[in-house]
Structures are given as structure tokens and as C-alpha cells.
Amino acid sequence: MAEEQMEEASTAAAEATPFQLQFDKPIPFQIKMAAWNPEKDLLAMVTDDSKVLLHRFNWQRLWTISPGKCITSICWSPDGKIIALGTEDGLVLLHDVENGKMLRTIKSHDVAVVCLNWAEDDLLSRPDKDEFLPYEDRTARFFPPAPVMPRIGGLSSGDTGLADENEEAIPQFCSASCQRFNILCSGGTDGCVCFSIFGIFPVGKININKIPINVESSGKNNYQLQDASVSKVSLSRNLQKLVVLCYGKLIDTENLSHNCEIAGLHCLYLDTSIFFNRKNELHQVSQQASSIQDLVEVVRASISLISKQWSSTMNLFHEKFNTLPNLIAAHGAESSSEDEFLSLLFGTRTSPALHQFLASSLGEAGLKRIAKAVDSAGREIRGVVSEHLQPAVEIISFRLAELRGLARWRSRFQIIGLDEKLVDGVTESIGMLVVQVERFSRVAATVLYLFQNFFTWVLKCVKILLNEPTDQVPAANSELVVIFLKFLLDKDPIKQLLEADERIECDMDSARHVEQLVVFGGFTDTQFLERSLVKQFNQLEDSLKEAFLMPFTTISSQIHCQGLLPLYPVTSSDTFSLTCTPTSISFYKDEDSQHEESSHNWTDYVCFKIPDGSLNERNCIGVIKDSGNCCTALSMSSLSGFLLHMPDEYECVDLSLYKDNQVVLLLSERSHSDSPGRSWMVMLQTQNLSFTPLSGTFPTNIYSLQKLVALDLQLDTDYGKVRSIPHTVSTPLAVSASRGVACVFSSRRHALVYILDEDEDEDEDGDEVSDME
């Protein structure tokens, strides 16, 4: 009977002629995940060896990248400009859609990031009583564009969390991301869900294993998940509700005897209305904070690069001049290098050791090489300070002053954790860092001038010893030479300022004067001159972490559980196969809502495949929806659903919720022969199916879906559209609601792109666009 239905559906659905795609490389590969760009006709795919491919709708490949890590999840930013990749080691990688270059690496989890969801604020969800407060970023009024990551002569700054090859894109990336408020949600195998505003500013983290579960009819919050792993997350467009699909045990902390029978897939509903209620404040704080964090990386890279450059130059200097003490000892003298140069400076006879050093060991060529290296290092260090380090700390200071002003608006910003005292402490730290950068700049200029004067004098001495004319050698200042010999030959002031554990000596008069100025300015840090530049920067980082941790902790504590719906039970032997079980979550606008805020009310739909044998069903899928208010606890009266039984000859390979309350199913024939099987893509209109209210008393009737009677999928009915696929298909199914297309991958490594919204009556040739091999 099912075969006859399939044949009738095949006749009704016109057959299409696919066209082939020639890959760049003949090496066969398997696609393990794919996602359509929400704004452009672009499809991002991840292969089984974790290469990322980007293709146009016409299957032109734009680029291929190999992140070098196992990719476990993928999603697009709402504006389609960034691809987010989750990795097996807990990283979230943000890549530029234009060229595939990495924009940012974020360490959000300690385990694999198995799901990502990037939701953008729905403008229509703002109630009239809370108009969006426009906030102008005034930094551009007073400062030029933010500095980028520095480079010197092939040297890189090292690992900063930003991409070294695409530093110029960072300011533009942040600026573009801050135009519309959006939140990136990521879920890990340890049950943690992380939230990042604009994808870059961490604003919250919850562990579903540690939150109390609110269960209707129990009257208590003593239920809790155990050993739960997140499978999928989805944040509503109004930012008020997060739906989490997770595998784990639901335990009664007061009655542990019921643990084993409640292990399975659960649908967890979380109240995230803090994002909706305080989106204006979070937008403003995260806009400043994310820019500050970028500039902190520029400061770190600048200091690291300066340190590398100066260390390399001083190694060359000491390599040459450290041979002098050995020569002095070889000649049986007991003087120091400083004594030898001072004797030469004041006209006494040149010792044999110093003569040999200047004439042979060092020589004119060696001296010029060192002088050139020091001069080059000085110019490059001055460039890094003036073009990167100093502008960065000045802009950080301004942005922190903006945050300080926001923190004083306690009625609006204290509730999201912006602490005035902590921000005041950070503001003082950045002020001290501004002074430290100015001091470093002056010290570096003085040291380089002393070096130049010393080299000039030594060069003249070398020429005299070699009986060469000295007319073109400028005269050296003997007093400056004495200062160099007494203070710089054994000590390096620049190095001292670049070491974290160095304590800078300061005379009593200067210390007393600085203390008076600090107190007069209303600050408390009177010992900052005793710290090095690096130590002051480390102190700034510590204070920033403390200040930004407060909003992170505050927001995390305000994300609560609305309720939990157990979907189906599983056994421990099913755990591995569950990672590939098809699931889908989506939110649709509730047009029939009678609430005052119906213009921005959303109904969440969850679609999932039920493993054979679970709930006493075989070859079945379930669809549930929650039409309740986002801000109230989960009620069984607002939940409804249906079960749909697939034809026995076919199995559901994958599924996806689509726009207008539709479900797209991918069915593949259960073939028992070597001949290629056939497959079907079915698009169902859920409104044509009967949703049955879910009821039951928890925990007696733990699985409410078990009471539902499964409907048989009839492909010759008016449930929806049916399309034949002349191949055996495999996961994934990539569906784009914004573009109206779906991409199907066959086991023979074909890719078929369908236009889902095409009217069948208009095109008798079918709607199959491409079949790529």
C-alpha cells in the first residue's frame, strides 16, 4: 500500500533533471553539517575531516578553510557576515564570510561545543512603553579609528585571541556587529550553555545540571538534571525564552529511587527575559566592553612586540660587548668594562684589552651594525608606541569613562551588574597606564639618545686606533658618555619597564610629589611609579576581569527554568546513536494570540525523531508546541503536539522546521539490495494536522507524548508537498527559511538543491535546481 502511495506521489510530483558540480579536488568527502546564509544565497558546509566550504547558490566555490580543529557545530550571524564554528575542544571560531579568515577565537567551554544559535533582537518585540533608547558611541567624535594589531619587520605579537592575519578587520567587525543587538548561544556536552552579545562579549553561562527544575503539579522545585548533555538550543526572537534539548537523567533530589526511569531526551524551557527587559543597557555596556577588550589585545600585542624587538637588539649588543670582560681577564687586569671606557674617555693610555676589543673584536663594521640595529629598533618602537600603544590606552580610557558614567545610573545599570566601584577601580588603573606609557616613551627616547651618543664616541675611538680620519665623525658629549657608562652599561631601563616582576626605584622627592598629585586628583594608587609598564597592564587586566565578571555573574543568576517536558526515554546503549538523532527547534509569530503584546508573541515548535522502541513507537516523529507566555512558568495546558508515523518502507533521515509552521522531512528507502534506493522530501503544513493537548500529572505520567495516537503519513493527502529524489539520501538536510531553499546530500555524494516555495502548477518540470556530483 505504501509503495502505491509513493508511486502516486511520484506521478504528481514532476521529475527534475539535475545538473552536475565539478569539485576542485577529486578526493571524495562526506558532508557532516551544512547551513544556509540568512541574507545571501550562500551555503556553508563542513566535511567529515572538518574542512569548511562556502558555495554560492550556483555551486561556485568561494573558499575552503581548514581550521585545524574538529568542527562540531556551525551557524551564521543574523546579518550573514560571520560564520560561527564550534570545536571539539570548547572553542567558538568566528570567520569572515568574505574570505574565510578568522576574526576571533573565544574559549567559551571546556568540552565540545555541539550546538550554536545566533538570535537577533526583533524590532517589533519592543513594547511601546519601553521605546529603544538611542545611544551614540561618541568615541569617533574625539578619536581617529581604533589602532590595529601592530607588526614589526616580520615579527608578530603572538597569540592574542584575535586573528593575526586579519587584524584590520577587527574594528570594522565590532562596529558592524554593534548595530543590531544579538546574542550567540552555545551548548556543550557538559550541560553548559553560554551567551555572548555580538558573539564576542560573554554575558552569561548556565549549567542545566545545577538549576532547579520547575515541574507543574509537583508543587516543588526539588527536581534536577543529572549527567545532562545539551543537544540543541534556540533563543526566541524577542530574547525572552531559550529552548534547550538535552539528554540526561531527571532526578528527584528528595527521592532518588525514581532516577532510572526518567533518563531520556528532555525539552527544557528557560526564562531569558533579562535579555529582553534590559536589552538597551546590555547593548550599551557590551558595545563599550567589547571594544575595550579588542583594544586591550592591541595593548598586549604592542607591549609584546616592543619587548621582542628590544630583547633581540640588546642580545646583539651584549653579544659583542660581553667579549670585553673576557679580554680584560685574559690580559691579567682586574678592571671592569666601565673603568676601561672611562680611562679612555679621560685621556689615559688605552689598555691592551680595550685596544684589542675596539680594533679587532668589535671593529668599525661591527659597531656600525650594532648602532644600526639600535637605531632601527628605536624607530620601530617609537612607531608602535605612537601608532598603536598610546592611541589604544587613550581610547580605552575614554570608553571606560563612558562606562563609568553609565555605572552611576544605578536604577538602570545596577540590575545588570555594572558595579560603580569596580568601574571606578578600572578607570584609575587605565589612568595610571596612560602615565606609564608616557613614562616609557620618555625613557625610551632618553636611552636611545644616550646609545647614539655612546656609539658616536666609540666610533671615533675606533677610527683613531685604526689611524683613520675622523673628520666626518660628529663630536660626542663626554658627560652623556659618562651617564651611559655609569647607568646603562649594566642596567637597561627599557627592559625594566617591560618586565612584570621588576620594581622601579624612585627617589623620595619624586615619590612625595606624585603622591600629592594622585591624592589631589581623587585617586588612591600612590605607588604606581614603582610598577613597570607590564605590571601596570597586568593590573588593568585583573581589574577589567573583575568588573566584567560582575555583569556575567548577575545575568547568569537571572536566567531561570520555566519548566521541563520529558520527550522520550532512552537507555545507556542508545547514548551514542542519540548524537545523530534529528531534532529541530523554531519560533513562529503567534497571529492568533489574544495577549496585549500579540505583535511580538512567539510560539516555539520542537520537532524530533523518536528512536525505535521508545514510547512503544517505531519509525515515528513528534512535534510539540508551547503557546504559553514567554515570561510565565511552563504549563501543560499550553503544550500540545502530535506524533507522525512514517511508511514502514522508509526511514526519516533528517528533519527541519520551516517557515509558516511547516516541517520538512527527508525520507530514505530501506533498501535491502545493492541497487540504489529512492528517497522523498516531504513538506508538511502543521496546521493541517491535529495538535492534541498534553496532559498528565508529574511524575506519575512522566511522558505525556505516550498518550498521543500516532498519525500515519499519507503521501497522497493534502498534508503538504511531496518530492521524489532518485538517490539514497543522508544527513544533513540544510533548509533556509529566508531563501526558501533546501539542500539534500545523497550517499553517492550528490548535492541536490530544491526551491521549497515554488508553485508546482507553475513549473511542470519540477523544482529541482541542481544535482551536483
PDB file of all heavy atoms in Angstrom, residues 354-386:
ATOM      1  N   LEU A 354      91.395  46.694  25.905  1.00  0.00           N
ATOM      2  CA  LEU A 354      90.439  47.572  25.243  1.00  0.00           C
ATOM      3  C   LEU A 354      90.864  47.823  23.801  1.00  0.00           C
ATOM      4  O   LEU A 354      90.015  47.898  22.898  1.00  0.00           O
ATOM      5  CB  LEU A 354      90.327  48.889  26.009  1.00  0.00           C
ATOM      6  CG  LEU A 354      89.305  49.895  25.463  1.00  0.00           C
ATOM      7  CD1 LEU A 354      87.912  49.285  25.447  1.00  0.00           C
ATOM      8  CD2 LEU A 354      89.315  51.179  26.299  1.00  0.00           C
ATOM      9  N   HIS A 355      92.176  47.936  23.570  1.00  0.00           N
ATOM     10  CA  HIS A 355      92.670  48.142  22.207  1.00  0.00           C
ATOM     11  C   HIS A 355      92.292  46.956  21.333  1.00  0.00           C
ATOM     12  O   HIS A 355      91.828  47.119  20.190  1.00  0.00           O
ATOM     13  CB  HIS A 355      94.184  48.337  22.238  1.00  0.00           C
ATOM     14  CG  HIS A 355      94.745  48.729  20.910  1.00  0.00           C
ATOM     15  ND1 HIS A 355      94.925  47.827  19.882  1.00  0.00           N
ATOM     16  CD2 HIS A 355      95.169  49.943  20.429  1.00  0.00           C
ATOM     17  CE1 HIS A 355      95.432  48.435  18.840  1.00  0.00           C
ATOM     18  NE2 HIS A 355      95.587  49.736  19.150  1.00  0.00           N
ATOM     19  N   GLN A 356      92.507  45.743  21.841  1.00  0.00           N
ATOM     20  CA  GLN A 356      92.170  44.548  21.069  1.00  0.00           C
ATOM     21  C   GLN A 356      90.663  44.474  20.813  1.00  0.00           C
ATOM     22  O   GLN A 356      90.216  44.084  19.735  1.00  0.00           O
ATOM     23  CB  GLN A 356      92.641  43.302  21.812  1.00  0.00           C
ATOM     24  CG  GLN A 356      92.371  42.001  21.064  1.00  0.00           C
ATOM     25  CD  GLN A 356      92.854  40.785  21.827  1.00  0.00           C
ATOM     26  OE1 GLN A 356      93.548  40.907  22.842  1.00  0.00           O
ATOM     27  NE2 GLN A 356      92.518  39.608  21.342  1.00  0.00           N
ATOM     28  N   PHE A 357      89.891  44.862  21.813  1.00  0.00           N
ATOM     29  CA  PHE A 357      88.428  44.807  21.661  1.00  0.00           C
ATOM     30  C   PHE A 357      87.947  45.767  20.584  1.00  0.00           C
ATOM     31  O   PHE A 357      87.170  45.405  19.702  1.00  0.00           O
ATOM     32  CB  PHE A 357      87.759  45.132  22.993  1.00  0.00           C
ATOM     33  CG  PHE A 357      86.267  45.329  22.896  1.00  0.00           C
ATOM     34  CD1 PHE A 357      85.421  44.248  22.705  1.00  0.00           C
ATOM     35  CD2 PHE A 357      85.722  46.603  22.984  1.00  0.00           C
ATOM     36  CE1 PHE A 357      84.051  44.442  22.599  1.00  0.00           C
ATOM     37  CE2 PHE A 357      84.357  46.795  22.887  1.00  0.00           C
ATOM     38  CZ  PHE A 357      83.515  45.715  22.687  1.00  0.00           C
ATOM     39  N   LEU A 358      88.437  47.035  20.653  1.00  0.00           N
ATOM     40  CA  LEU A 358      87.960  48.037  19.702  1.00  0.00           C
ATOM     41  C   LEU A 358      88.491  47.797  18.296  1.00  0.00           C
ATOM     42  O   LEU A 358      87.764  47.970  17.308  1.00  0.00           O
ATOM     43  CB  LEU A 358      88.357  49.433  20.180  1.00  0.00           C
ATOM     44  CG  LEU A 358      87.710  49.914  21.489  1.00  0.00           C
ATOM     45  CD1 LEU A 358      88.273  51.263  21.887  1.00  0.00           C
ATOM     46  CD2 LEU A 358      86.200  49.987  21.339  1.00  0.00           C
ATOM     47  N   ALA A 359      89.732  47.403  18.190  1.00  0.00           N
ATOM     48  CA  ALA A 359      90.349  47.273  16.881  1.00  0.00           C
ATOM     49  C   ALA A 359      90.026  45.945  16.198  1.00  0.00           C
ATOM     50  O   ALA A 359      89.889  45.899  14.973  1.00  0.00           O
ATOM     51  CB  ALA A 359      91.866  47.431  17.001  1.00  0.00           C
ATOM     52  N   SER A 360      89.887  44.876  16.992  1.00  0.00           N
ATOM     53  CA  SER A 360      89.737  43.549  16.388  1.00  0.00           C
ATOM     54  C   SER A 360      88.368  42.929  16.650  1.00  0.00           C
ATOM     55  O   SER A 360      87.638  42.579  15.709  1.00  0.00           O
ATOM     56  CB  SER A 360      90.830  42.602  16.911  1.00  0.00           C
ATOM     57  OG  SER A 360      92.108  43.119  16.629  1.00  0.00           O
ATOM     58  N   SER A 361      88.030  42.785  17.925  1.00  0.00           N
ATOM     59  CA  SER A 361      86.798  42.074  18.254  1.00  0.00           C
ATOM     60  C   SER A 361      85.560  42.816  17.769  1.00  0.00           C
ATOM     61  O   SER A 361      84.649  42.226  17.177  1.00  0.00           O
ATOM     62  CB  SER A 361      86.721  41.860  19.771  1.00  0.00           C
ATOM     63  OG  SER A 361      87.821  41.101  20.220  1.00  0.00           O
ATOM     64  N   LEU A 362      85.531  44.126  18.042  1.00  0.00           N
ATOM     65  CA  LEU A 362      84.367  44.908  17.634  1.00  0.00           C
ATOM     66  C   LEU A 362      84.540  45.440  16.223  1.00  0.00           C
ATOM     67  O   LEU A 362      83.798  45.074  15.321  1.00  0.00           O
ATOM     68  CB  LEU A 362      84.147  46.049  18.622  1.00  0.00           C
ATOM     69  CG  LEU A 362      82.952  46.961  18.348  1.00  0.00           C
ATOM     70  CD1 LEU A 362      81.651  46.185  18.417  1.00  0.00           C
ATOM     71  CD2 LEU A 362      82.916  48.120  19.360  1.00  0.00           C
ATOM     72  N   GLY A 363      85.497  46.264  16.014  1.00  0.00           N
ATOM     73  CA  GLY A 363      85.763  46.828  14.700  1.00  0.00           C
ATOM     74  C   GLY A 363      84.713  47.835  14.281  1.00  0.00           C
ATOM     75  O   GLY A 363      83.640  47.955  14.864  1.00  0.00           O
ATOM     76  N   GLU A 364      85.065  48.582  13.245  1.00  0.00           N
ATOM     77  CA  GLU A 364      84.152  49.614  12.750  1.00  0.00           C
ATOM     78  C   GLU A 364      82.877  49.011  12.181  1.00  0.00           C
ATOM     79  O   GLU A 364      81.768  49.511  12.418  1.00  0.00           O
ATOM     80  CB  GLU A 364      84.866  50.456  11.686  1.00  0.00           C
ATOM     81  CG  GLU A 364      84.003  51.592  11.143  1.00  0.00           C
ATOM     82  CD  GLU A 364      84.744  52.437  10.128  1.00  0.00           C
ATOM     83  OE1 GLU A 364      85.978  52.255   9.986  1.00  0.00           O
ATOM     84  OE2 GLU A 364      84.087  53.273   9.486  1.00  0.00           O
ATOM     85  N   ALA A 365      83.007  47.901  11.440  1.00  0.00           N
ATOM     86  CA  ALA A 365      81.825  47.268  10.838  1.00  0.00           C
ATOM     87  C   ALA A 365      80.882  46.722  11.901  1.00  0.00           C
ATOM     88  O   ALA A 365      79.654  46.888  11.817  1.00  0.00           O
ATOM     89  CB  ALA A 365      82.265  46.148   9.895  1.00  0.00           C
ATOM     90  N   GLY A 366      81.452  46.085  12.925  1.00  0.00           N
ATOM     91  CA  GLY A 366      80.608  45.551  13.994  1.00  0.00           C
ATOM     92  C   GLY A 366      79.891  46.626  14.760  1.00  0.00           C
ATOM     93  O   GLY A 366      78.714  46.484  15.131  1.00  0.00           O
ATOM     94  N   LEU A 367      80.599  47.745  15.025  1.00  0.00           N
ATOM     95  CA  LEU A 367      79.983  48.848  15.747  1.00  0.00           C
ATOM     96  C   LEU A 367      78.846  49.465  14.939  1.00  0.00           C
ATOM     97  O   LEU A 367      77.777  49.769  15.480  1.00  0.00           O
ATOM     98  CB  LEU A 367      81.043  49.903  16.075  1.00  0.00           C
ATOM     99  CG  LEU A 367      80.540  51.131  16.838  1.00  0.00           C
ATOM    100  CD1 LEU A 367      79.998  50.717  18.196  1.00  0.00           C
ATOM    101  CD2 LEU A 367      81.651  52.162  16.985  1.00  0.00           C
ATOM    102  N   LYS A 368      79.078  49.656  13.651  1.00  0.00           N
ATOM    103  CA  LYS A 368      78.024  50.229  12.813  1.00  0.00           C
ATOM    104  C   LYS A 368      76.813  49.310  12.731  1.00  0.00           C
ATOM    105  O   LYS A 368      75.663  49.778  12.679  1.00  0.00           O
ATOM    106  CB  LYS A 368      78.573  50.515  11.420  1.00  0.00           C
ATOM    107  CG  LYS A 368      79.526  51.695  11.369  1.00  0.00           C
ATOM    108  CD  LYS A 368      79.969  51.979   9.946  1.00  0.00           C
ATOM    109  CE  LYS A 368      80.859  53.219   9.873  1.00  0.00           C
ATOM    110  NZ  LYS A 368      81.304  53.491   8.484  1.00  0.00           N
ATOM    111  N   ARG A 369      77.069  48.015  12.735  1.00  0.00           N
ATOM    112  CA  ARG A 369      75.953  47.070  12.692  1.00  0.00           C
ATOM    113  C   ARG A 369      75.095  47.178  13.951  1.00  0.00           C
ATOM    114  O   ARG A 369      73.863  47.199  13.880  1.00  0.00           O
ATOM    115  CB  ARG A 369      76.499  45.647  12.551  1.00  0.00           C
ATOM    116  CG  ARG A 369      75.423  44.568  12.523  1.00  0.00           C
ATOM    117  CD  ARG A 369      76.038  43.188  12.578  1.00  0.00           C
ATOM    118  NE  ARG A 369      75.034  42.171  12.772  1.00  0.00           N
ATOM    119  CZ  ARG A 369      75.283  40.944  13.174  1.00  0.00           C
ATOM    120  NH1 ARG A 369      76.549  40.589  13.459  1.00  0.00           N
ATOM    121  NH2 ARG A 369      74.321  40.061  13.327  1.00  0.00           N
ATOM    122  N   ILE A 370      75.752  47.272  15.110  1.00  0.00           N
ATOM    123  CA  ILE A 370      75.004  47.392  16.359  1.00  0.00           C
ATOM    124  C   ILE A 370      74.273  48.726  16.410  1.00  0.00           C
ATOM    125  O   ILE A 370      73.102  48.803  16.804  1.00  0.00           O
ATOM    126  CB  ILE A 370      75.960  47.254  17.561  1.00  0.00           C
ATOM    127  CG1 ILE A 370      76.626  45.881  17.553  1.00  0.00           C
ATOM    128  CG2 ILE A 370      75.202  47.459  18.863  1.00  0.00           C
ATOM    129  CD1 ILE A 370      77.686  45.725  18.630  1.00  0.00           C
ATOM    130  N   ALA A 371      74.969  49.790  16.004  1.00  0.00           N
ATOM    131  CA  ALA A 371      74.343  51.117  16.025  1.00  0.00           C
ATOM    132  C   ALA A 371      73.122  51.160  15.113  1.00  0.00           C
ATOM    133  O   ALA A 371      72.091  51.753  15.463  1.00  0.00           O
ATOM    134  CB  ALA A 371      75.361  52.173  15.606  1.00  0.00           C
ATOM    135  N   LYS A 372      73.215  50.515  13.960  1.00  0.00           N
ATOM    136  CA  LYS A 372      72.092  50.484  13.030  1.00  0.00           C
ATOM    137  C   LYS A 372      70.928  49.692  13.620  1.00  0.00           C
ATOM    138  O   LYS A 372      69.757  50.086  13.481  1.00  0.00           O
ATOM    139  CB  LYS A 372      72.532  49.872  11.711  1.00  0.00           C
ATOM    140  CG  LYS A 372      71.440  49.845  10.648  1.00  0.00           C
ATOM    141  CD  LYS A 372      71.955  49.265   9.342  1.00  0.00           C
ATOM    142  CE  LYS A 372      70.844  49.228   8.292  1.00  0.00           C
ATOM    143  NZ  LYS A 372      71.330  48.649   7.014  1.00  0.00           N
ATOM    144  N   ALA A 373      71.242  48.580  14.294  1.00  0.00           N
ATOM    145  CA  ALA A 373      70.195  47.765  14.903  1.00  0.00           C
ATOM    146  C   ALA A 373      69.473  48.528  16.000  1.00  0.00           C
ATOM    147  O   ALA A 373      68.241  48.489  16.103  1.00  0.00           O
ATOM    148  CB  ALA A 373      70.789  46.473  15.449  1.00  0.00           C
ATOM    149  N   VAL A 374      70.220  49.241  16.842  1.00  0.00           N
ATOM    150  CA  VAL A 374      69.612  50.016  17.921  1.00  0.00           C
ATOM    151  C   VAL A 374      68.770  51.155  17.356  1.00  0.00           C
ATOM    152  O   VAL A 374      67.655  51.421  17.822  1.00  0.00           O
ATOM    153  CB  VAL A 374      70.689  50.556  18.880  1.00  0.00           C
ATOM    154  CG1 VAL A 374      70.076  51.513  19.899  1.00  0.00           C
ATOM    155  CG2 VAL A 374      71.389  49.407  19.592  1.00  0.00           C
ATOM    156  N   ASP A 375      69.291  51.820  16.342  1.00  0.00           N
ATOM    157  CA  ASP A 375      68.552  52.918  15.717  1.00  0.00           C
ATOM    158  C   ASP A 375      67.267  52.416  15.075  1.00  0.00           C
ATOM    159  O   ASP A 375      66.203  53.042  15.216  1.00  0.00           O
ATOM    160  CB  ASP A 375      69.433  53.606  14.680  1.00  0.00           C
ATOM    161  CG  ASP A 375      68.722  54.758  14.001  1.00  0.00           C
ATOM    162  OD1 ASP A 375      68.454  55.765  14.688  1.00  0.00           O
ATOM    163  OD2 ASP A 375      68.427  54.646  12.792  1.00  0.00           O
ATOM    164  N   SER A 376      67.352  51.273  14.390  1.00  0.00           N
ATOM    165  CA  SER A 376      66.164  50.699  13.760  1.00  0.00           C
ATOM    166  C   SER A 376      65.138  50.282  14.806  1.00  0.00           C
ATOM    167  O   SER A 376      63.937  50.544  14.656  1.00  0.00           O
ATOM    168  CB  SER A 376      66.561  49.496  12.905  1.00  0.00           C
ATOM    169  OG  SER A 376      65.430  48.876  12.349  1.00  0.00           O
ATOM    170  N   ALA A 377      65.619  49.647  15.878  1.00  0.00           N
ATOM    171  CA  ALA A 377      64.706  49.248  16.950  1.00  0.00           C
ATOM    172  C   ALA A 377      64.040  50.457  17.580  1.00  0.00           C
ATOM    173  O   ALA A 377      62.842  50.442  17.888  1.00  0.00           O
ATOM    174  CB  ALA A 377      65.454  48.447  18.009  1.00  0.00           C
ATOM    175  N   GLY A 378      64.807  51.535  17.757  1.00  0.00           N
ATOM    176  CA  GLY A 378      64.245  52.742  18.338  1.00  0.00           C
ATOM    177  C   GLY A 378      63.144  53.330  17.491  1.00  0.00           C
ATOM    178  O   GLY A 378      62.083  53.718  18.001  1.00  0.00           O
ATOM    179  N   ARG A 379      63.375  53.392  16.168  1.00  0.00           N
ATOM    180  CA  ARG A 379      62.357  53.958  15.277  1.00  0.00           C
ATOM    181  C   ARG A 379      61.094  53.096  15.278  1.00  0.00           C
ATOM    182  O   ARG A 379      59.965  53.618  15.293  1.00  0.00           O
ATOM    183  CB  ARG A 379      62.916  54.078  13.861  1.00  0.00           C
ATOM    184  CG  ARG A 379      63.869  55.272  13.683  1.00  0.00           C
ATOM    185  CD  ARG A 379      64.292  55.480  12.252  1.00  0.00           C
ATOM    186  NE  ARG A 379      65.310  54.510  11.859  1.00  0.00           N
ATOM    187  CZ  ARG A 379      65.096  53.451  11.079  1.00  0.00           C
ATOM    188  NH1 ARG A 379      63.872  53.220  10.623  1.00  0.00           N
ATOM    189  NH2 ARG A 379      66.082  52.631  10.771  1.00  0.00           N
ATOM    190  N   GLU A 380      61.271  51.779  15.268  1.00  0.00           N
ATOM    191  CA  GLU A 380      60.103  50.898  15.230  1.00  0.00           C
ATOM    192  C   GLU A 380      59.347  50.914  16.555  1.00  0.00           C
ATOM    193  O   GLU A 380      58.120  50.858  16.579  1.00  0.00           O
ATOM    194  CB  GLU A 380      60.545  49.490  14.849  1.00  0.00           C
ATOM    195  CG  GLU A 380      61.015  49.406  13.397  1.00  0.00           C
ATOM    196  CD  GLU A 380      61.651  48.067  13.055  1.00  0.00           C
ATOM    197  OE1 GLU A 380      62.096  47.372  13.988  1.00  0.00           O
ATOM    198  OE2 GLU A 380      61.683  47.727  11.863  1.00  0.00           O
ATOM    199  N   ILE A 381      60.076  50.987  17.651  1.00  0.00           N
ATOM    200  CA  ILE A 381      59.415  51.062  18.956  1.00  0.00           C
ATOM    201  C   ILE A 381      58.639  52.368  19.084  1.00  0.00           C
ATOM    202  O   ILE A 381      57.504  52.382  19.574  1.00  0.00           O
ATOM    203  CB  ILE A 381      60.454  50.917  20.088  1.00  0.00           C
ATOM    204  CG1 ILE A 381      60.953  49.473  20.145  1.00  0.00           C
ATOM    205  CG2 ILE A 381      59.858  51.339  21.430  1.00  0.00           C
ATOM    206  CD1 ILE A 381      62.085  49.250  21.121  1.00  0.00           C
ATOM    207  N   ARG A 382      59.239  53.461  18.625  1.00  0.00           N
ATOM    208  CA  ARG A 382      58.514  54.735  18.660  1.00  0.00           C
ATOM    209  C   ARG A 382      57.253  54.653  17.804  1.00  0.00           C
ATOM    210  O   ARG A 382      56.216  55.221  18.166  1.00  0.00           O
ATOM    211  CB  ARG A 382      59.421  55.864  18.174  1.00  0.00           C
ATOM    212  CG  ARG A 382      60.448  56.330  19.191  1.00  0.00           C
ATOM    213  CD  ARG A 382      61.090  57.642  18.779  1.00  0.00           C
ATOM    214  NE  ARG A 382      61.857  57.503  17.537  1.00  0.00           N
ATOM    215  CZ  ARG A 382      63.152  57.203  17.488  1.00  0.00           C
ATOM    216  NH1 ARG A 382      63.825  57.009  18.612  1.00  0.00           N
ATOM    217  NH2 ARG A 382      63.782  57.103  16.331  1.00  0.00           N
ATOM    218  N   GLY A 383      57.344  53.962  16.671  1.00  0.00           N
ATOM    219  CA  GLY A 383      56.162  53.802  15.811  1.00  0.00           C
ATOM    220  C   GLY A 383      55.060  52.991  16.474  1.00  0.00           C
ATOM    221  O   GLY A 383      53.875  53.348  16.393  1.00  0.00           O
ATOM    222  N   VAL A 384      55.443  51.913  17.150  1.00  0.00           N
ATOM    223  CA  VAL A 384      54.438  51.091  17.837  1.00  0.00           C
ATOM    224  C   VAL A 384      53.781  51.882  18.960  1.00  0.00           C
ATOM    225  O   VAL A 384      52.562  51.825  19.152  1.00  0.00           O
ATOM    226  CB  VAL A 384      55.084  49.801  18.385  1.00  0.00           C
ATOM    227  CG1 VAL A 384      54.093  49.042  19.264  1.00  0.00           C
ATOM    228  CG2 VAL A 384      55.564  48.914  17.251  1.00  0.00           C
ATOM    229  N   VAL A 385      54.588  52.649  19.697  1.00  0.00           N
ATOM    230  CA  VAL A 385      54.036  53.436  20.802  1.00  0.00           C
ATOM    231  C   VAL A 385      53.090  54.507  20.287  1.00  0.00           C
ATOM    232  O   VAL A 385      51.964  54.665  20.795  1.00  0.00           O
ATOM    233  CB  VAL A 385      55.170  54.066  21.636  1.00  0.00           C
ATOM    234  CG1 VAL A 385      54.592  55.054  22.650  1.00  0.00           C
ATOM    235  CG2 VAL A 385      55.969  52.985  22.349  1.00  0.00           C
ATOM    236  N   SER A 386      53.500  55.236  19.269  1.00  0.00           N
ATOM    237  CA  SER A 386      52.699  56.366  18.797  1.00  0.00           C
ATOM    238  C   SER A 386      51.487  55.946  17.962  1.00  0.00           C
ATOM    239  O   SER A 386      50.458  56.627  17.995  1.00  0.00           O
ATOM    240  CB  SER A 386      53.581  57.318  17.975  1.00  0.00           C
ATOM    241  OG  SER A 386      54.087  56.656  16.821  1.00  0.00           O
TER     242      SER A 386
END
